[in-house]
Amino acid sequence: SQKIEQNSEALNIQEGKTATLTCNYTNYSPAYLQWYRQDPGRGPVFLLLIRENEKEKRKERLKVTFDTTLKQSLFHITASQPADSATYLCAPVTDTGRRALTFGSGTRLQVQP
Amino acid sequence: GAVVSQHPSWVICKSGTSVKIECRSLDFQATTMFWYRQFPKQSLMLMATSNEGSKATYEQGVEKDKFLINHASLTLSTLTVTSAHPEDSSFYICSARVGDSYGYTFGSGTRLTVV
């Protein structure tokens, strides 16, 4: 069965460091993969989308990589700030016509000042 | 950007009553709306997919008679939790797709507490 794995343990880092979050998937052939941020009591907010033919995507302090051989995406936040503290969700998307997103369990990031 | 407005943001109701949650797409037409449920410290679980003008498609294990979904227009989808029980207490979120490049946009969620 399809599975999306994110580190369920919280990631604690110091302000200014780079946070790296991992998303592994099995039994998927995603056409693209999305990353979302979710704050407590709020809906997810779209951050980045990376396609299968893209190795890396950047947006300001965010960087996403996509390795279809390893079946893994890495999400990096450079120069992290306490305001980056949130849960980050990944969602691989296949082109099967099924339009809903399936999310990993999410990784909670805590950036200490 | 595309916005989905979800109301109410929180609601407390008595066991046995019904609660309606609304999601409106403010600046785009949402032919499809997805409804998710999220329990504490868990990820979002898809409950159903609603399509404008047709019946919703429910995920396995989701009672369609309990969670009534209506998508009567291109800008409004509603989820009604009927005869709510404490185990229905959860965080309900709607979502719509806004083209491939922009990902999906989500409502702000509704915290339902059934007492």
Side-chain angles (χ1 to χ4, degrees), chain B residues 2-47:
Chain B
V3 174
V4 172
S5 177
Q6 182 170 348
H7 294 278
S9 55
W10 61 271
V11 58
I12 301 173
C13 71
K14 290 185 177 180
S15 190
T17 61
S18 296
V19 172
K20 181 186 281 189
I21 300 169
E22 289 189 352
C23 278
R24 294 181 183 273
S25 55
L26 297 186
D27 47 5
F28 69 101
Q29 293 182 332
T31 54
T32 302
M33 194 76 78
F34 306 103
W35 288 92
Y36 294 84
R37 180 167 53 184
Q38 185 175 34
F39 291 105
K41 298 190 186 301
Q42 294 186 24
S43 192
L44 288 77
M45 297 300 296
L46 180 68
M47 298 176 65

Side-chain angles (χ1 to χ4, degrees), chain A residues 62-95:
Chain A
L62 309 180
K63 184 179 84 170
V64 173
T65 63
F66 194 10
D67 190 325
T68 55
T69 302
L70 291 179
K71 295 187 182 296
Q72 180 182 81
S73 176
L74 299 178
F75 179 81
H76 306 271
I77 305 176
T78 58
S80 60
Q81 305 166 0
D84 295 326
S85 299
T87 296
Y88 292 86
L89 304 163
C90 72
V93 183
T94 57
D95 254 342

Side-chain angles (χ1 to χ4, degrees), chain B residues 33-74:
Chain B
M33 194 76 78
F34 306 103
W35 288 92
Y36 294 84
R37 180 167 53 184
Q38 185 175 34
F39 291 105
K41 298 190 186 301
Q42 294 186 24
S43 192
L44 288 77
M45 297 300 296
L46 180 68
M47 298 176 65
T49 300
S50 75
N51 295 293
E52 185 265 337
S54 63
K55 288 184 178 180
T57 303
Y58 291 82
E59 295 299 298
Q60 193 172 8
V62 178
E63 301 174 57
K64 62 180 181 181
D65 294 330
K66 182 171 186 60
F67 298 99
L68 300 179
I69 290 173
N70 185 281
H71 196 154
S73 77
L74 288 171

Side-chain angles (χ1 to χ4, degrees), chain A residues 32 34 36 38 41-44 46 49 51 89 93 98-105, chain B residues 34 36 38 43-44 46 49 59 91 93 97 100-104 106-109 111:
Chain A
Y32 56 93
Q34 303 186 24
Y36 288 78
Q38 186 178 24
R42 307 290 294 177
F46 171 72
L49 178 155
R51 300 180 190 279
L89 304 163
V93 183
R98 187 175 185 269
R99 310 289 294 276
L101 289 178
T102 301
F103 291 94
S105 54
Chain B
F34 306 103
Y36 294 84
Q38 185 175 34
S43 192
L44 288 77
L46 180 68
T49 300
E59 295 299 298
F91 192 55
I93 311 171
R97 185 173 181 174
D100 188 39
S101 298
Y102 299 99
Y104 291 65
F106 287 79
S108 54
R111 171 72 59 194

